Amino acid sequence: MPSSRLFTFVDSLPVQSTRRRQALLVVWAFGLFICLSAGSLVDASELRRSAIVKAVEQARPSIVNIRGQKVVASTASVGGIDSRRVNGMGTGVVMTEDGYILTNQHVVEGVAKIQVTLDDKSTYIARLVSHDPKTDLAVIKIDAGDKRLPVIRIGTSDDLMPGESVIAVGNAYGYEHTVTRGIISALHRTVQVSDTQNYHDLIQTDASINPGNSGGPLLNIDGDMIGINVAVRVGAQGIGFAIPVDRAMEVAADLLSVKRIQRRWHGVVVRPAADGKGVVVERVEAGSPAEQAGIEAGDVLASLGAERLRHAVDLERLLLDKQTGEEVELTMSRGGQAVAINFVLTSLPKESNTVTDKTWELLGMRLSPLASGEFRQQQGRYRGGLLVDEVRRGSPAARQGIQAGDILVGMHVWETVSLENVAYILGRDDFADFEPVKFYILRDNRTLFGHLPVAVAGTRGSSATSANR
């Protein structure tokens, strides 16, 4: 045997070759050690690729960095308006292979040119698709041509446990794809981060969340997204918050819905299937295209055309590509049996404009969107406004001096660029806390302000007054 020969060779050396004999023994022993320990060295290398490393490797390609400039207004030292440009940064997650990205609204709000950088360093300019001020979520879209983007793996937030390990990834302080880890500190937190924003039912974590992390994912140890990082507690160390992913995906589906964006109708309300295969129909709206096609509550929608469905977002995103009146092929399961049906998207039935009705009833004025080009010709210091078309005699708006032709540019601390902004303000749970609501209007290139009582009777406050804003 080789070992016998080695020993024989060493033992047969002349006595006077003691040093050489010792040297060869050392070499032999070292070689034997390497052979015996080779397996343990491989194991030690594998230990470095921990669950955290694997989770980050899986999620990282679907996490994007967002940058852009926005104009903010501040009061000048001697009257007037002092506008300045500031650099904004944040994070987003790729929801679909064709470039829909979920982030925070405050990351992209007011940004004229939204720059998105992927993990492979390629850069695109995104457009804002839709946003929700109440939850501070927004959907943006990039056009990457034929490139199919890696999509974040979506987990669930209904089984989270305090003490569970989590990972945050984002553009912290501009350092791209920064990874931090921690645990879930608590669930169902309500946090007020500013005068204008309250968050409800948040995940609290001690994973470091810094400026620039907003809109990025909070991952579990499996690499699934369980939340959207949204806030850090000012003045506190190791306290950050995230929107639970179940709520975030529900909002994302609404932001991408054909009903919201294109005023078209399919008529199904769905949720993800427990096994991750398809979406379960929770409800079918009466008279909808889905009802006419025979879809029922409890059906599991598996695919639309050749595309699989996993979340409500998938359904809405795929329907955005379809035209009104176009037949849509849908594969579903009912009672364990596969069923293929066709249904046709229709235009949404006309209904009263609840925002317009509410502003007329509560405030006494009718508002309509103002074309951005037309607005910029009149005023350059605001992003947009709403034209006052009509003021009801004796209403709160009339008593405060608002006139038809004025442009409403703000209420309380919020801008009023769209009717959705007004709906958000009037629909806030804490609206009574700042009633009578302060308003800002443009008239003859001057900014005026006043206070609007919500109740028609018992008005208070003064007429519109010139102001710097």
Side-chain angles (χ1 to χ4, degrees), residues 124-142:
Y124 302 89
I125 300 301
R127 62 180 175 87
L128 177 62
V129 176
S130 190
H131 67 278
D132 178 36
K134 193 166 187 177
T135 58
D136 191 26
L137 290 171
V139 173
I140 60 177
K141 173 74 165 61
I142 64 172

Side-chain angles (χ1 to χ4, degrees), residues 234-385:
V234 177
Q237 302 245 351
I239 301 180
F241 299 94
I243 301 170
V245 72
D246 291 347
R247 174 60 176 152
M249 296 312 295
E250 179 183 320
V251 173
D254 180 61
L255 291 177
L256 271 183
S257 69
V258 294
K259 187 174 185 179
R260 181 186 185 112
I261 296 176
Q262 299 175 335
R263 304 295 294 169
R264 295 188 293 134
W265 198 24
H266 55 70
V268 290
V269 178
V270 300
R271 58 176 170 79
D275 60 3
K277 298 178 180 179
V279 291
V280 180
V281 177
E282 291 188 325
R283 180 167 55 87
V284 178
E285 296 176 357
S288 67
E291 183 184 61
Q292 294 175 13
I295 298 175
E296 302 174 358
D299 289 344
V300 180
L301 310 184
S303 62
L304 193 71
E307 300 276 354
R308 290 176 51 204
L309 301 175
R310 293 181 296 272
H311 298 275
V313 168
D314 298 326
L315 177 65
E316 300 295 349
R317 184 257 307 178
L318 293 170
L319 289 176
L320 284 175
D321 296 332
K322 308 301 179 184
Q323 301 298 319
T324 301
E326 179 182 352
E327 277 198 347
V328 179
E329 183 182 351
L330 184 67
T331 302
M332 66 182 192
S333 173
R334 176 181 296 166
Q337 299 295 317
V339 180
I341 64 168
N342 291 321
F343 76 101
V344 178
L345 285 175
T346 65
S347 297
L348 195 65
K350 290 185 178 180
E351 56 186 20
S352 63
N353 190 323
T354 56
V355 179
T356 302
D357 292 344
K358 201 168 186 178
T359 55
W360 181 254
E361 177 186 351
L362 295 180
L363 307 177
M365 54 182 171
R366 295 195 192 280
L367 303 170
S368 64
L370 196 62
S372 58
E374 181 184 350
F375 181 84
R376 281 194 296 270
Q377 290 176 2
Q378 299 186 41
Q379 181 59 241
R381 82 179 67 161
Y382 301 101
R383 287 205 313 135

Side-chain angles (χ1 to χ4, degrees), residues 52 55-56 160-161 163-169 179-185 187 203-209 217-224 226-227 229 242:
I52 291 177
V56 173
L160 300 181
M161 303 169 287
E164 180 178 351
S165 295
V166 290
I167 308 151
V169 185
V179 178
T180 57
R181 69 168 183 168
I183 61 169
I184 292 177
S185 305
L187 301 169
I203 303 166
Q204 180 184 330
T205 176
D206 68 348
S208 295
I209 296 176
L218 187 69
L219 308 171
N220 63 17
I221 205 69
D222 294 325
D224 301 330
I226 58 167
N229 299 323

